[in-house]
Amino acid sequence: MHRSIAAAAAVVALTAALTACGGSDGDGGKAGSTKDTHSSGAAEPGGETSPEAAPSSASSTGAKLGDTLSLVGIVGLGQSGAPTADVTLNKIVDNAKSTLFAPKDGSRLVAAEFTIVNTGTIPYGEAPFTPPTVIDAAGGEHHGKPGHSDAGKSLGDGIMMNISPGQRATGWVIFDVPKGVKVTTVTFQMDRTGPDPARTGKWTL
């Protein structure tokens, strides 16, 4: 009899404790839903793709056109830390017209506009066509190249960019992409030194 009473008391105490902590039937600790406010569309020959909404933050694995990614470079010689920047992919233009170097035979020119904000404490500088790459639906990678197009002003004048802490730069980078293939992804890796997924931002079109 005493054992039954003790068992019943233990059940009541356990139930009360679960209720106080927000048990499995409650809403305690449940994350809210998120909403993507950006449009997306793969860049295809003959058109421009751009977002309908203002840039917003996103994860480096789930970004879309118009999203901003916080990226980190590498510590250079004589530097106390690595450069950091917020990078936004603003627009994509397919079949852009070159004003310097024409695309290779069998290729077309794709242009991507980026905005880069230096969020660190040291300058961020490198050739602007080095960090970005476009990837087609078959997995082919096409790196940026020096030059200008009719899409707009080239990033860093197409040769070199040097962005001071707190400053920003906006401009275009061009790519040779085979005719007939669809561009599905754009990547940006600060201080490119070989494959490094942890430091590479990716936007899915």
Side-chain angles (χ1 to χ4, degrees):
M1 181 69 174
H2 292 295
R3 182 175 301 173
S4 299
I5 294 174
V11 170
V12 172
L14 179 59
T15 302
L18 288 174
T19 302
C21 295
S24 59
D25 291 335
D27 292 330
K30 185 179 293 184
S33 61
T34 59
K35 182 178 181 181
D36 180 8
T37 59
H38 298 293
S39 63
S40 63
E44 298 182 6
E48 175 178 326
T49 305
S50 61
E52 294 178 352
S56 67
S57 297
S59 70
S60 60
T61 57
K64 297 182 179 180
L65 193 66
D67 285 338
T68 299
L69 299 178
S70 296
L71 303 179
V72 180
I74 59 176
V75 179
L77 292 175
Q79 294 180 337
S80 58
T84 61
D86 285 347
V87 182
T88 306
L89 175 62
N90 300 319
K91 298 177 181 178
I92 293 286
V93 170
D94 214 329
N95 282 321
K97 304 296 183 182
S98 174
T99 60
L100 187 59
F101 299 122
K104 297 181 296 185
D105 289 342
S107 296
R108 69 190 193 270
L109 202 66
V110 173
E113 186 190 49
F114 297 92
T115 293
I116 304 172
V117 180
N118 186 335
T119 58
T121 58
I122 61 175
Y124 169 48
E126 64 179 317
F129 52 86
T130 302
T133 297
V134 296
I135 304 173
D136 61 44
E141 296 186 357
H142 314 284
H143 302 294
K145 70 173 191 175
H148 308 276
S149 74
D150 62 350
K153 179 182 177 182
S154 296
L155 184 62
D157 292 328
I159 302 298
M160 182 62 65
M161 60 179 178
N162 195 339
I163 309 172
S164 300
Q167 300 300 306
R168 72 174 57 212
T170 296
W172 295 81
V173 178
I174 56 176
F175 312 82
D176 284 343
V177 179
K179 295 178 179 178
V181 301
K182 182 182 295 185
V183 174
T184 59
T185 306
V186 178
T187 67
F188 194 101
Q189 180 183 331
M190 295 174 61
D191 299 326
R192 182 186 293 275
T193 56
D196 191 345
R199 294 191 296 107
T200 302
K202 182 171 69 174
W203 295 264
T204 301
L205 304 180

